[in-house]
Amino acid sequence: MPGAIVITGASSGIGAGFARRYAARGHDVVLVARRADRLDALAEELRGLHRIDATVLAVDLTDPAAPAAIAAELAQRGIRPAGLVNSAGFGTASAFADEDAARVAAEVQVNVLALTLLTRELLPDLIAARGVLVNVSSNAGHQPLPGLAVYAATKAYVTSLTEAIWQETRGTGLKVLALCPGPTETEFFAVAGSETFKVGATKSVDDVLDEAFAALDSANPSPVRTVGAANRVQGWAARVSPRRLRLRVAARAVGGA
Protein backbone atom coordinates (compact mmCIF):
# COMPACT_ATOMS: atom_id res chain seq x y z
CA MET A 1 0.00 0.00 0.00
CA PRO A 2 1.39 3.46 -0.90
CA GLY A 3 2.24 5.78 1.99
CA ALA A 4 -0.04 8.30 3.65
CA ILE A 5 -0.62 11.74 2.16
CA VAL A 6 -1.21 14.62 4.58
CA ILE A 7 -3.59 17.21 3.11
CA THR A 8 -4.40 20.57 4.69
CA GLY A 9 -7.54 22.45 3.73
CA ALA A 10 -9.12 19.04 3.13
CA SER A 11 -12.65 19.98 4.17
CA SER A 12 -13.54 21.44 0.76
CA GLY A 13 -12.36 22.58 -2.64
CA ILE A 14 -8.93 21.68 -3.97
CA GLY A 15 -7.86 20.04 -0.72
CA ALA A 16 -10.84 17.67 -0.71
CA GLY A 17 -10.19 17.00 -4.39
CA PHE A 18 -6.60 15.95 -3.68
CA ALA A 19 -7.85 13.65 -0.91
CA ARG A 20 -10.23 11.93 -3.30
CA ARG A 21 -7.61 11.56 -6.04
CA TYR A 22 -4.95 10.16 -3.73
CA ALA A 23 -7.39 7.78 -2.04
CA ALA A 24 -8.44 6.52 -5.47
CA ARG A 25 -4.76 5.78 -6.14
CA GLY A 26 -4.61 3.63 -3.02
CA HIS A 27 -2.98 6.06 -0.61
CA ASP A 28 -3.99 6.44 3.00
CA VAL A 29 -4.80 10.07 3.71
CA VAL A 30 -4.57 12.40 6.70
CA LEU A 31 -7.23 15.10 6.44
CA VAL A 32 -6.42 18.39 8.15
CA ALA A 33 -8.78 21.36 8.54
CA ARG A 34 -10.87 23.16 11.15
CA ARG A 35 -14.27 21.67 10.31
CA ALA A 36 -14.30 18.22 11.89
CA ASP A 37 -17.80 17.37 10.64
CA ARG A 38 -16.78 17.80 7.02
CA LEU A 39 -13.56 15.88 7.53
CA ASP A 40 -15.42 13.01 9.19
CA ALA A 41 -17.86 12.82 6.28
CA LEU A 42 -15.06 12.83 3.72
CA ALA A 43 -13.08 10.23 5.65
CA GLU A 44 -16.11 7.92 5.78
CA GLU A 45 -16.64 8.40 2.04
CA LEU A 46 -13.04 7.56 1.18
CA ARG A 47 -12.87 4.52 3.45
CA GLY A 48 -16.03 3.13 1.90
CA LEU A 49 -15.04 3.77 -1.72
CA HIS A 50 -11.37 2.85 -1.64
CA ARG A 51 -10.74 0.75 1.48
CA ILE A 52 -7.94 3.03 2.62
CA ASP A 53 -7.26 4.51 6.04
CA ALA A 54 -8.41 8.12 6.40
CA THR A 55 -7.25 9.92 9.54
CA VAL A 56 -8.96 13.13 10.65
CA LEU A 57 -7.03 15.92 12.38
CA ALA A 58 -9.28 18.86 13.22
CA VAL A 59 -6.72 21.65 13.55
CA ASP A 60 -6.92 25.43 13.19
CA LEU A 61 -3.88 26.55 11.18
CA THR A 62 -4.23 30.12 12.44
CA ASP A 63 -2.75 28.73 15.69
CA PRO A 64 1.06 29.15 15.49
CA ALA A 65 1.46 25.86 17.38
CA ALA A 66 -0.50 23.88 14.79
CA PRO A 67 2.36 22.61 12.54
CA ALA A 68 4.32 21.13 15.46
CA ALA A 69 1.11 19.69 16.90
CA ILE A 70 0.28 17.98 13.60
CA ALA A 71 3.77 16.48 13.36
CA ALA A 72 3.57 15.25 16.95
CA GLU A 73 0.16 13.69 16.39
CA LEU A 74 1.39 11.87 13.28
CA ALA A 75 4.36 10.51 15.21
CA GLN A 76 2.15 9.40 18.09
CA ARG A 77 -0.11 7.51 15.70
CA GLY A 78 2.83 5.92 13.92
CA ILE A 79 2.08 7.63 10.61
CA ARG A 80 5.18 8.43 8.51
CA PRO A 81 3.91 10.61 5.67
CA ALA A 82 4.92 9.96 2.09
CA GLY A 83 3.29 13.14 0.86
CA LEU A 84 2.17 16.58 1.93
CA VAL A 85 -0.33 18.78 0.11
CA ASN A 86 -0.51 22.26 1.62
CA SER A 87 -3.87 23.37 0.26
CA ALA A 88 -5.16 25.45 3.18
CA GLY A 89 -5.29 29.17 2.53
CA PHE A 90 -7.54 32.15 2.08
CA GLY A 91 -7.48 35.69 0.71
CA THR A 92 -8.68 39.18 1.55
CA ALA A 93 -9.73 41.79 -0.98
CA SER A 94 -9.48 45.52 -0.30
CA ALA A 95 -6.98 48.35 -0.29
CA PHE A 96 -4.17 47.51 2.11
CA ALA A 97 -4.87 50.60 4.26
CA ASP A 98 -8.42 49.32 4.80
CA GLU A 99 -7.49 45.75 5.72
CA ASP A 100 -8.39 44.41 9.16
CA ALA A 101 -5.09 43.82 10.95
CA ALA A 102 -6.24 40.64 12.71
CA ARG A 103 -7.51 39.19 9.44
CA VAL A 104 -4.22 40.00 7.71
CA ALA A 105 -2.30 38.30 10.52
CA ALA A 106 -4.43 35.17 10.15
CA GLU A 107 -3.96 35.24 6.37
CA VAL A 108 -0.18 35.38 6.68
CA GLN A 109 -0.23 32.73 9.40
CA VAL A 110 -2.17 30.22 7.29
CA ASN A 111 -0.81 31.00 3.83
CA VAL A 112 2.84 31.45 4.82
CA LEU A 113 3.85 30.41 8.33
CA ALA A 114 1.74 27.26 8.73
CA LEU A 115 2.69 26.06 5.25
CA THR A 116 6.38 26.76 5.83
CA LEU A 117 6.63 25.16 9.25
CA LEU A 118 4.54 22.09 8.41
CA THR A 119 6.68 21.54 5.33
CA ARG A 120 9.81 21.81 7.45
CA GLU A 121 8.41 19.41 10.05
CA LEU A 122 7.54 16.71 7.50
CA LEU A 123 10.18 17.21 4.81
CA PRO A 124 12.70 14.66 6.17
CA ASP A 125 10.01 11.95 6.07
CA LEU A 126 8.92 13.00 2.57
CA ILE A 127 12.51 12.77 1.31
CA ALA A 128 13.03 9.38 2.97
CA ALA A 129 9.84 8.09 1.32
CA ARG A 130 10.82 9.51 -2.09
CA GLY A 131 7.36 11.01 -1.91
CA VAL A 132 5.65 14.21 -2.95
CA LEU A 133 5.28 17.81 -1.76
CA VAL A 134 2.58 20.00 -3.32
CA ASN A 135 2.16 23.59 -2.20
CA VAL A 136 -1.00 25.18 -3.57
CA SER A 137 0.01 28.67 -4.62
CA SER A 138 -1.90 30.85 -7.10
CA ASN A 139 -1.69 32.57 -10.43
CA ALA A 140 -2.05 35.72 -8.30
CA GLY A 141 1.46 35.13 -6.99
CA HIS A 142 3.04 35.83 -10.38
CA GLN A 143 2.69 39.60 -9.94
CA PRO A 144 1.79 42.21 -7.31
CA LEU A 145 -1.96 42.85 -7.21
CA PRO A 146 -3.12 46.22 -5.85
CA GLY A 147 -6.36 45.55 -4.00
CA LEU A 148 -5.24 42.00 -3.25
CA ALA A 149 -1.81 42.95 -1.96
CA VAL A 150 -1.45 40.56 0.96
CA TYR A 151 -2.91 37.54 -0.81
CA ALA A 152 -0.72 37.96 -3.89
CA ALA A 153 2.35 38.50 -1.73
CA THR A 154 1.73 35.35 0.30
CA LYS A 155 1.36 33.31 -2.87
CA ALA A 156 4.53 34.78 -4.38
CA TYR A 157 6.27 33.55 -1.23
CA VAL A 158 4.77 30.07 -1.58
CA THR A 159 5.94 29.74 -5.18
CA SER A 160 9.42 31.02 -4.36
CA LEU A 161 9.82 28.71 -1.36
CA THR A 162 8.64 25.70 -3.34
CA GLU A 163 11.02 26.37 -6.22
CA ALA A 164 13.94 26.58 -3.77
CA ILE A 165 12.94 23.28 -2.11
CA TRP A 166 12.63 21.69 -5.57
CA GLN A 167 16.24 22.63 -6.30
CA GLU A 168 17.54 21.63 -2.87
CA THR A 169 15.97 18.18 -3.06
CA ARG A 170 16.85 17.30 -6.66
CA GLY A 171 18.24 13.80 -6.88
CA THR A 172 16.43 12.59 -3.76
CA GLY A 173 13.42 11.17 -5.59
CA LEU A 174 11.05 13.66 -3.94
CA LYS A 175 8.58 15.31 -6.31
CA VAL A 176 8.01 18.98 -5.48
CA LEU A 177 5.37 21.17 -7.11
CA ALA A 178 4.01 24.68 -6.67
CA LEU A 179 0.50 24.48 -8.11
CA CYS A 180 -0.78 27.86 -9.33
CA PRO A 181 -4.47 27.82 -10.21
CA GLY A 182 -6.43 30.85 -11.29
CA PRO A 183 -10.08 31.33 -10.28
CA THR A 184 -11.54 27.95 -9.29
CA GLU A 185 -15.03 26.76 -8.35
CA THR A 186 -14.51 26.61 -4.58
CA GLU A 187 -15.61 28.48 -1.43
CA PHE A 188 -12.66 30.84 -1.89
CA PHE A 189 -14.63 33.87 -3.07
CA ALA A 190 -17.26 33.56 -0.36
CA VAL A 191 -14.57 33.44 2.32
CA ALA A 192 -12.77 36.42 0.77
CA GLY A 193 -16.04 38.37 0.73
CA SER A 194 -15.43 39.53 -2.83
CA GLU A 195 -15.37 38.23 -6.40
CA THR A 196 -12.52 40.61 -7.22
CA PHE A 197 -10.31 37.54 -7.62
CA LYS A 198 -12.36 36.26 -10.57
CA VAL A 199 -10.03 37.45 -13.31
CA GLY A 200 -10.08 35.15 -16.33
CA ALA A 201 -11.85 31.85 -16.91
CA THR A 202 -13.00 29.92 -13.85
CA LYS A 203 -11.84 26.31 -13.71
CA SER A 204 -13.39 23.35 -11.93
CA VAL A 205 -11.54 21.57 -9.14
CA ASP A 206 -11.17 18.59 -11.47
CA ASP A 207 -9.52 20.82 -14.09
CA VAL A 208 -6.98 21.94 -11.50
CA LEU A 209 -6.33 18.40 -10.28
CA ASP A 210 -5.93 17.07 -13.83
CA GLU A 211 -3.11 19.56 -14.41
CA ALA A 212 -1.55 18.89 -11.01
CA PHE A 213 -1.33 15.15 -11.55
CA ALA A 214 -0.21 15.56 -15.14
CA ALA A 215 2.73 17.55 -13.77
CA LEU A 216 3.45 15.12 -10.92
CA ASP A 217 3.23 12.07 -13.18
CA SER A 218 5.62 13.45 -15.79
CA ALA A 219 9.14 12.04 -15.93
CA ASN A 220 10.85 15.38 -15.30
CA PRO A 221 8.31 17.75 -13.74
CA SER A 222 8.85 21.50 -13.54
CA PRO A 223 8.72 23.02 -10.04
CA VAL A 224 5.75 25.24 -10.99
CA ARG A 225 2.51 24.41 -12.77
CA THR A 226 0.22 27.31 -13.63
CA VAL A 227 -3.25 26.03 -14.46
CA GLY A 228 -4.62 27.06 -17.86
CA ALA A 229 -2.85 28.19 -21.01
CA ALA A 230 -4.11 31.78 -20.70
CA ASN A 231 -2.84 32.01 -17.13
CA ARG A 232 0.55 30.68 -18.21
CA VAL A 233 0.78 33.41 -20.85
CA GLN A 234 -0.31 36.01 -18.28
CA GLY A 235 2.32 34.81 -15.83
CA TRP A 236 5.04 35.01 -18.48
CA ALA A 237 3.92 38.53 -19.47
CA ALA A 238 4.02 39.65 -15.84
CA ARG A 239 7.63 38.50 -15.52
CA VAL A 240 8.88 40.34 -18.61
CA SER A 241 6.79 43.54 -18.44
CA PRO A 242 8.15 46.82 -17.00
CA ARG A 243 7.14 47.19 -13.36
CA ARG A 244 4.97 50.30 -13.78
CA LEU A 245 3.08 48.78 -16.69
CA ARG A 246 2.65 45.52 -14.82
CA LEU A 247 1.16 47.32 -11.81
CA ARG A 248 -1.23 49.40 -13.92
CA VAL A 249 -2.48 46.34 -15.78
CA ALA A 250 -2.85 44.35 -12.57
CA ALA A 251 -4.81 47.15 -10.86
CA ARG A 252 -7.24 47.39 -13.78
CA ALA A 253 -7.66 43.60 -13.88
CA VAL A 254 -8.92 43.50 -10.29
CA GLY A 255 -11.06 46.59 -10.60
CA GLY A 256 -8.59 49.20 -9.37
CA ALA A 257 -7.68 52.54 -10.90
Side-chain angles (χ1 to χ4, degrees), residues 158-174:
V158 170
T159 301
S160 177
L161 176 71
T162 309
E163 288 184 285
I165 294 171
W166 179 89
Q167 179 62 36
E168 290 178 359
T169 58
R170 290 190 73 181
T172 66
L174 178 69

Side-chain angles (χ1 to χ4, degrees), residues 30 55-59 66-80 122:
V30 179
T55 301
V56 168
L57 297 182
V59 176
I70 292 168
E73 185 67 20
L74 293 175
Q76 182 176 342
R77 296 182 184 221
I79 298 172
R80 294 196 66 182
L122 302 189

Side-chain angles (χ1 to χ4, degrees), residues 29-32 35-36 39-41 43 47 54-58 73 77:
V29 292
V30 179
L31 310 176
V32 180
R35 295 175 289 189
L39 296 181
D40 287 337
R47 293 184 196 113
T55 301
V56 168
L57 297 182
E73 185 67 20
R77 296 182 184 221

Side-chain angles (χ1 to χ4, degrees), residues 70-144:
I70 292 168
E73 185 67 20
L74 293 175
Q76 182 176 342
R77 296 182 184 221
I79 298 172
R80 294 196 66 182
L84 171 61
V85 178
N86 282 304
S87 185
F90 69 93
T92 54
S94 66
F96 183 65
D98 298 329
E99 294 269 32
D100 177 76
R103 187 71 169 163
V104 167
E107 185 176 6
V108 173
Q109 175 64 44
V110 174
N111 294 9
V112 173
L113 290 174
L115 177 147
T116 302
L117 295 178
L118 185 57
T119 299
R120 175 59 191 87
E121 290 277 2
L122 302 189
L123 191 58
D125 283 339
L126 304 185
I127 293 171
R130 298 174 65 87
V132 62
L133 169 65
V134 178
N135 287 331
V136 178
S137 185
S138 171
N139 187 45
H142 293 327
Q143 64 281 304

